[in-house]
Amino acid sequence: MNSGRFAISVHILTLLAFSGDEWTPSEYLAGSININPVLVRKELSNLRERGLVLSKEGKSGGSRLAKPADKLFMSEVYGAVKQKDLLGKGINSPNPDCPVGRKINDHLDNLYGDAEKTLLASLGKMSLAEFCKKFE
Amino acid sequence: MNSGRFAISVHILTLLAFSGDEWTPSEYLAGSININPVLVRKELSNLRERGLVLSKEGKSGGSRLAKPADKLFMSEVYGAVKQKDLLGKGINSPNPDCPVGRKINDHLDNLYGDAEKTLLASLGKMSLAEFCKKFE
DNA sequence: TTGTACTGTAATAATAAAAGTTACAGTATG
DNA sequence: CATACTGTAACTTTTATTATTACAGTACAA
């Protein structure tokens, strides 16, 4: 997975959760996270594809949650930002003449798959609403 | 965590497990993984610090497992290569004037900590010996 | 006692990935 | 039609990873 994207997405969603049904502009989000608004918009674009947020263009536009915060789970955020395998890539081009090299990536994939299932189960226990409560 | 290091370490340990009490040179390991021997030696150096392998210098030297493969668990390998947080860094410099920005990193840390505990529990179920059986 | 086959590690270069920036077209509101 | 937004492409900068070179140190074995 990509280093800071999970954190940025959670931060965005937390702010949107606190904004309720207001349309929050990306400049505002960028100000709290302290990163470039374009990065925020890229992340919003990704969250939108995953059905986690809605955006509205034009004046007085912005973004808001696409569903109530108690129906939105950290496992969904993980799924939205995940690109790489949890534990990193496998071996780039293992030696096919070696019995271990030949099969290592398949076995690593299984291991990673199992680990990820466990992780998703753990993240699935925390809703955005619950996460937001911690700020009170 | 660092992208391919977990895979490289598991690959190394698997090869060493198959070599039993032979001292295996890093050139041989590098050949199966198909990476530079210096990288292998760096990884070995790290695994050695963690007490997972032993190395012997000089002619007919090399490395071997520091303990039986059925006493060595994937959670130890994870611990050995882990540098970054599982889900990436927190937010670099969140805005301290925003109630969310001010506390987001603490709350993310907790979330990451819980997720990691779960992951370690999952990886702790797989011993190196068990992993090696898959190659037979 | 010397050549050889290793390890260990520093320094550096090459490559790739992530983050930040600029620029600008498009859209809704008032 | 001016304004305040989004959306996205293109580019630059920064940082992380991977690879390479170089060489000192160690143990074995003839």
Side-chain angles (χ1 to χ4, degrees):
Chain A
M1 120 173 267
N2 203 326
S3 57
R5 291 186 51 211
F6 182 81
I8 290 173
S9 285
V10 170
H11 198 149
I12 290 173
L13 292 167
T14 303
L15 292 167
L16 294 184
F18 280 114
S19 299
D21 49 10
E22 303 273 296
W23 295 100
T24 307
S26 59
E27 292 279 349
Y28 173 82
L29 301 170
S32 168
I33 308 177
N34 198 24
I35 58 173
N36 196 288
V38 175
L39 266 187
V40 173
R41 297 209 278 266
K42 278 182 193 164
E43 231 30 79
L44 282 168
S45 161
N46 181 50
L47 294 170
R48 202 158 52 235
E49 276 174 27
R50 292 303 190 118
L52 302 186
V53 304
L54 301 171
S55 302
K56 190 179 142 194
E57 293 191 347
K59 192 171 180 177
S60 85
S63 302
R64 44 168 297 179
L65 294 182
K67 52 181 169 179
D70 61 349
K71 295 276 184 306
L72 202 165
F73 296 89
M74 291 301 169
S75 45
E76 299 176 77
V77 184
Y78 174 84
V81 301
K82 173 192 151 96
Q83 303 180 315
K84 318 193 238 185
D85 274 329
L86 177 61
L87 298 172
K89 331 178 235 230
I91 303 295
N92 258 343
S93 51
N95 184 346
D97 298 332
C98 166
V100 172
R102 189 158 52 238
K103 297 174 78 190
I104 186 86
N105 278 339
D106 290 347
H107 297 328
L108 283 171
D109 282 352
N110 289 341
L111 189 64
Y112 291 1
D114 290 350
E116 185 158 281
K117 254 183 237 160
T118 310
L119 180 71
L120 282 173
S122 161
L123 292 175
K125 284 182 194 149
M126 172 77 74
S127 72
L128 180 59
E130 223 175 315
F131 189 75
C132 286
K133 270 190 213 147
K134 301 179 172 215
F135 291 88
E136 282 158 17
Chain B
M1 121 174 265
N2 203 324
S3 58
R5 289 187 53 209
F6 181 81
I8 291 174
S9 285
V10 170
H11 198 148
I12 290 173
L13 293 168
T14 302
L15 292 166
L16 294 183
F18 280 114
S19 299
D21 49 10
E22 302 273 297
W23 295 100
T24 306
S26 59
E27 291 279 350
Y28 173 82
L29 301 171
S32 168
I33 308 176
N34 198 25
I35 58 172
N36 196 288
V38 176
L39 266 187
V40 173
R41 297 209 278 266
K42 276 185 193 159
E43 231 30 81
L44 282 168
S45 161
N46 181 50
L47 294 169
R48 204 160 49 235
E49 275 175 26
R50 292 302 190 119
L52 303 186
V53 304
L54 301 171
S55 302
K56 189 180 143 192
E57 293 191 346
K59 192 170 181 178
S60 84
S63 300
R64 46 167 297 176
L65 294 182
K67 52 180 169 178
D70 61 349
K71 295 277 185 308
L72 201 166
F73 296 90
M74 291 300 169
S75 45
E76 297 176 80
V77 184
Y78 175 83
V81 301
K82 173 191 151 97
Q83 304 181 312
K84 319 192 236 188
D85 273 329
L86 179 60
L87 298 172
K89 330 178 234 230
I91 304 294
N92 259 342
S93 51
N95 184 344
D97 297 333
C98 164
V100 172
R102 189 160 52 237
K103 295 174 80 190
I104 186 87
N105 278 340
D106 289 347
H107 297 328
L108 283 171
D109 283 351
N110 289 341
L111 189 64
Y112 291 1
D114 291 350
E116 185 159 280
K117 254 183 236 160
T118 310
L119 179 71
L120 282 173
S122 162
L123 291 174
K125 284 182 194 150
M126 172 75 76
S127 71
L128 180 59
E130 224 176 314
F131 189 74
C132 286
K133 271 190 212 147
K134 302 178 174 215
F135 292 89
E136 283 158 16

